[in-house]
Amino acid sequence: MSHIKKSYKISCQIITIGDEILYGHILDTNSKWLSEKLTELGIHVSEQKTIGDNYEIIYKTISLSINEYDLVVLTGGLGPTNDDITKNCLNDIYEGKLIYDIKTLNHIKSYFKKRKLKFTKKNKDQALIPDTCKVLHNKYGTAPGMVFEKNNNFLISLPGVPFEMKSIFEEGCVVFLKEKFNLPVIVHRVIKTVGIGESWLSDMIKEWEEKLDKNLSLAYLPSIGTVKLRLTGVGKDYKKIKSNILKQEKKLYPLINKYIYGYDSDELEVVIGKLLQNQKKNISIAESCTGGHISSLITSVAGCSSYFKGSIVAYNNKIKIENLGVSKEKIEKFGAVSKEVVEEMASNIRKIFNTDIGLATSGIAGPDGGSKEKPIGTVWIAFSDKKNIISKKLNLTERRDINIILSSINILNLLRQKLTQNI
């Protein structure tokens, strides 16, 4: 393969192969992940494309792409079944001959031996690779990655299984790409906010944004319940770019600090876990409309057993009364979705589990159950500790799935605000 580095800017296309993706049977998360990683390296992704398991379409698409783009990244079609034809197609395009890669073959044999599985010819043929490619070892699966070159343009073919693809990319592709391309230094700083919408956030930082250093760019990255601000600098001097970003961030912080919950890879539930650990506090949760989603977020964090005691999903009013001890009279008078009931849920769960903090949710997630007084999306959340109870009414959407996520984020943010005394 050529040792001449291609100059920046580099054009790139991502191609995902598989009928199951084309027909919507599974979600294409590979393209999203690859786009993020390639962008971080300074490689511009110009196009994403999904095609089916059809030899003629694969051959035509790849043949055109490798002449149009500096880099093409493929995922999918490298498995052992008859519909996995990517490897054979690449072999024909790059005019190669299929040979057994000994390292891959030994790895596959070991893989099956450890799991005491029958080793078939189809499994063995996973080690067949075109002799015109560079092999990228797949330590978590049986299909290796492959790199091809033609006219100083490159094609990388990766398995479609996400964790295999990610491993090969991070351990093999990144080094290869840095060797072959003259990549710029790119520095990102992601500032994560919660409790404020994108438009309000934009208004709040308008003057700061207008005065932002011209060598930096700002991107708003909204998702359900949160907004990320990404500052990006591109150049040759990492320290200079990093220093410039931190300088701008320092000016931004006082404007929106009450909404900032973390940076870069921080997740809200992880940040809250650290706050609880540092303050030596524990929590319990009474969930109704969120159906255990809050507990799931909390328990997704390693080490959560040090601060999370447990929860009760009291979806039915009978459970609220018998297991949580909520007053039957309050439910009859105010309804299950009310300030009075959710506050009692939060207070009682704290006493039942003997925790420092109790959280509770009760609402109408939808798509039915709403009324004129309490339409779909009406949710009450509550925080309880030994000193006080705080409750909040949310007026959300008509989408059940979104309401569950928003309710969970709102109550976690309420907890964060209390723990940081930012309420």
Side-chain angles (χ1 to χ4, degrees):
M1 289 193 174
S2 170
H3 293 285
I4 300 172
K5 282 198 174 188
K6 297 201 75 172
S7 298
Y8 155 97
K9 292 183 176 181
I10 302 128
S11 62
C12 174
Q13 181 191 47
I14 297 171
I15 302 175
T16 308
I17 299 173
D19 289 341
E20 68 279 8
I21 296 172
L22 193 62
Y23 302 151
H25 296 155
I26 66 169
L27 186 65
D28 174 21
T29 58
N30 286 354
S31 294
K32 176 183 179 297
W33 188 88
L34 282 168
S35 288
E36 290 175 353
K37 295 301 176 182
L38 288 163
T39 301
E40 286 173 8
L41 288 170
I43 295 173
H44 177 64
V45 179
S46 305
E47 184 180 15
Q48 293 180 6
K49 183 175 287 190
T50 300
I51 56 177
D53 297 300
N54 178 282
Y55 181 92
E56 287 74 20
I57 292 173
I58 295 172
Y59 190 99
K60 181 181 178 181
T61 302
I62 294 174
S63 297
L64 291 171
S65 295
I66 59 176
N67 290 314
E68 185 176 352
Y69 294 94
D70 299 313
L71 174 67
V72 176
V73 182
L74 304 178
T75 67
L78 298 180
T81 55
N82 293 332
D83 61 339
D84 293 308
I85 55 177
T86 301
K87 182 166 59 180
N88 289 329
C89 191
L90 289 170
N91 187 53
D92 293 342
I93 291 170
Y94 287 94
E95 300 175 342
K97 176 185 176 184
L98 291 176
I99 59 171
Y100 284 104
D101 179 66
I102 301 304
K103 182 180 179 180
T104 301
L105 183 58
N106 289 337
H107 166 71
I108 296 171
K109 286 179 178 178
S110 174
Y111 181 92
F112 277 80
K113 187 177 180 180
K114 282 181 182 178
R115 289 158 182 77
K116 297 180 180 178
L117 299 172
K118 184 180 178 182
F119 185 68
T120 68
K121 187 177 185 302
K122 281 189 175 181
N123 303 133
K124 180 182 178 181
D125 286 350
Q126 286 282 84
L128 279 173
I129 54 99
D131 60 0
T132 50
C133 81
K134 171 185 168 65
V135 178
L136 299 173
H137 181 59
N138 180 358
K139 68 179 183 181
Y140 293 115
T142 57
M146 297 174 287
V147 181
F148 297 86
E149 180 187 359
K150 199 169 190 177
N151 300 325
N152 208 30
N153 288 2
F154 298 92
L155 179 142
I156 297 174
S157 178
L158 301 169
V161 180
F163 71 90
E164 294 181 27
M165 178 274 295
K166 291 176 182 179
S167 171
I168 296 173
F169 185 88
E170 290 178 330
E171 295 180 21
C173 295
V174 171
V175 173
F176 174 83
L177 291 170
K178 287 181 177 179
E179 287 176 352
K180 296 297 178 183
F181 294 99
N182 185 20
L183 301 174
V185 173
I186 297 181
V187 182
H188 295 294
R189 179 61 162 170
V190 179
I191 302 156
K192 297 189 171 183
T193 70
V194 63
I196 184 170
E198 182 183 9
S199 59
W200 291 280
L201 184 62
S202 176
D203 288 341
M204 192 172 287
I205 65 173
K206 182 181 178 182
E207 287 187 20
W208 170 86
E209 187 176 353
E210 288 173 348
K211 296 176 182 177
L212 186 64
D213 189 291
K214 64 180 181 180
N215 294 314
L216 301 178
S217 62
L218 175 70
Y220 289 82
L221 307 172
S223 56
I224 299 174
T226 64
V227 181
K228 293 183 285 189
L229 297 174
R230 187 184 66 205
L231 277 169
T232 302
V234 182
K236 295 181 179 180
D237 189 330
Y238 174 85
K239 288 185 179 179
K240 186 176 179 181
I241 299 168
K242 185 72 173 177
S243 175
N244 195 11
I245 287 176
L246 292 176
K247 181 181 176 182
Q248 300 301 319
E249 183 188 330
K250 192 175 180 180
K251 294 178 182 178
L252 173 66
Y253 182 80
L255 304 176
I256 59 169
N257 67 303
K258 66 183 287 188
Y259 301 108
I260 296 173
Y261 72 84
Y263 301 88
D264 300 325
S265 61
D266 288 340
E267 297 296 342
L268 183 57
E269 56 270 22
V270 177
V271 171
I272 286 170
K274 289 177 181 176
L275 288 169
L276 289 165
Q277 285 178 321
N278 292 339
Q279 297 179 28
K280 294 181 169 54
K281 292 181 179 179
N282 52 33
I283 63 170
S284 53
I285 308 171
E287 299 193 55
S288 185
C289 63
T290 46
H293 187 67
I294 304 164
S295 302
S296 177
L297 289 171
I298 294 291
T299 55
S300 69
V301 181
C304 66
S305 58
S306 66
Y307 53 83
F308 178 64
K309 287 289 188 75
S311 64
I312 294 176
V313 179
Y315 212 75
N316 186 278
N317 285 347
K318 185 179 179 183
I319 304 301
K320 290 183 178 73
I321 296 165
E322 295 181 358
N323 293 79
L324 278 178
V326 176
S327 164
K328 182 180 179 181
E329 290 71 28
K330 282 187 179 179
I331 291 177
E332 290 175 347
K333 184 177 180 180
F334 302 106
V337 181
S338 63
K339 173 185 175 71
E340 292 77 10
V341 168
V342 79
E343 287 186 355
E344 193 165 0
M345 288 171 66
S347 178
N348 289 359
I349 194 72
R350 179 176 59 80
K351 294 171 185 175
I352 291 168
F353 283 90
N354 190 28
T355 55
D356 301 303
I357 296 166
L359 304 175
T361 62
S362 186
I364 304 165
D368 6 78
S371 65
K372 186 177 180 181
E373 295 76 22
K374 297 178 183 179
I376 294 165
T378 303
V379 177
W380 278 93
I381 60 174
F383 167 99
S384 167
D385 61 18
K386 294 174 183 178
K387 293 181 179 180
N388 53 36
I389 298 175
I390 298 171
S391 58
K392 184 178 180 182
K393 183 182 180 182
L394 308 175
N395 299 300
L396 305 178
T397 75
E398 294 187 354
R399 283 273 303 271
R400 182 182 185 84
D401 53 348
I402 292 176
N403 289 339
I404 290 171
I405 295 170
L406 285 174
S407 299
S408 302
I409 290 173
N410 270 276
I411 199 165
L412 288 179
N413 189 42
L414 178 61
L415 174 59
R416 179 192 69 87
Q417 289 174 314
K418 281 295 294 176
L419 292 171
T420 58
Q421 299 180 342
N422 207 350
I423 193 171

